[in-house]
Amino acid sequence: GTIPRVERGVIVTLGSGATLNLSASTGGGNAGQLNVSAPAGTFNLLGTVRGQGGTGGLNGRFELDAGTLPSYAALRSVLASSYLTESQFIRVRSGNVLIDGATQVRQFRLSSDLGSIAVTGSINASGVTGGSIALASRGDLIIASGARLSVAGQTFDSAGKGGLITLESGTQRNGVAGSGSVSIQAGSTLDFSV
């Protein structure tokens, strides 16, 4: 199932003694989804989340709407260990975001309402069929040298399509477009292979 949206506050914290179990039965089935809303603040995930899919099922899904994201690396590590790896949809309302290290998730979407996004690590959305990666910023969107975005698949999906990468900068706020640009630097890799 879905854990109801962990609601609005300046700081939303899942404490170190807390446990949220979104896992499916080991016999089969898909894990659930965790939604968190802290549009004026931050989210601290200090407790335990379990989101493992059952045999043949999908792992858990995660959605976050936050004012700021002080450390994407810390969040990435917790989401991976919690098996919230089917989809991760993250909205950051202010501040810049650095995507470093290794992210592995089937569907990844991150937007920065006011800031820039820089990718220096890897986002791996590959699978039997290709996954999806979407990055959108009002400021600059930089895919740095050495960064890797992969939506590679072993075969096309039922619609005959491979994976999808969407890169967008200069997004609108209150009808006014931002001034950012997309920079895919030499030495970076975007992998669409099937």
Side-chain angles (χ1 to χ4, degrees):
T2 298
I3 296 291
R5 187 173 292 272
V6 178
E7 267 309 328
R8 308 170 171 269
V10 175
I11 301 176
V12 174
T13 299
L14 180 65
S16 58
T19 298
L20 295 178
N21 190 356
L22 303 167
S23 295
S25 167
T26 55
N30 299 334
Q33 176 169 332
L34 173 61
N35 297 332
V36 179
S37 178
T42 60
F43 173 52
N44 297 318
L45 182 48
L46 306 177
T48 300
V49 178
R50 297 175 180 145
Q52 193 164 9
T55 302
L58 304 176
N59 285 336
R61 295 160 288 153
F62 176 75
E63 186 170 332
L64 172 65
D65 179 358
T68 59
L69 184 60
S71 173
Y72 170 76
L75 178 63
R76 177 195 69 236
S77 177
V78 174
L79 295 180
S81 64
S82 302
Y83 294 93
L84 298 177
T85 55
E86 176 58 27
S87 65
Q88 296 169 8
F89 298 157
I90 301 168
R91 177 184 180 184
V92 181
R93 295 188 179 238
S94 64
N96 301 326
V97 180
L98 171 65
I99 302 175
D100 56 357
T103 298
Q104 184 154 0
V105 58
R106 288 287 296 147
Q107 299 175 65
F108 183 81
R109 183 175 71 216
L110 188 144
S111 62
S112 176
D113 287 9
L114 296 177
S116 299
I117 297 173
V119 183
T120 60
S122 64
I123 305 174
N124 184 358
S126 62
V128 175
T129 57
S132 64
I133 298 170
L135 303 173
S137 62
R138 183 170 175 82
D140 292 334
L141 172 53
I142 300 169
I143 312 300
S145 178
R148 182 180 181 86
L149 308 183
S150 176
V151 292
Q154 299 172 25
T155 186
F156 293 106
D157 65 17
S158 59
K161 297 181 179 180
L164 176 66
I165 297 175
T166 304
L167 305 176
E168 181 182 2
S169 66
T171 56
Q172 290 191 13
R173 182 174 175 82
N174 298 325
V176 179
S179 58
S181 61
V182 175
S183 175
I184 303 174
Q185 297 184 350
S188 63
T189 302
L190 275 63
D191 185 355
F192 299 90
S193 61
V194 177

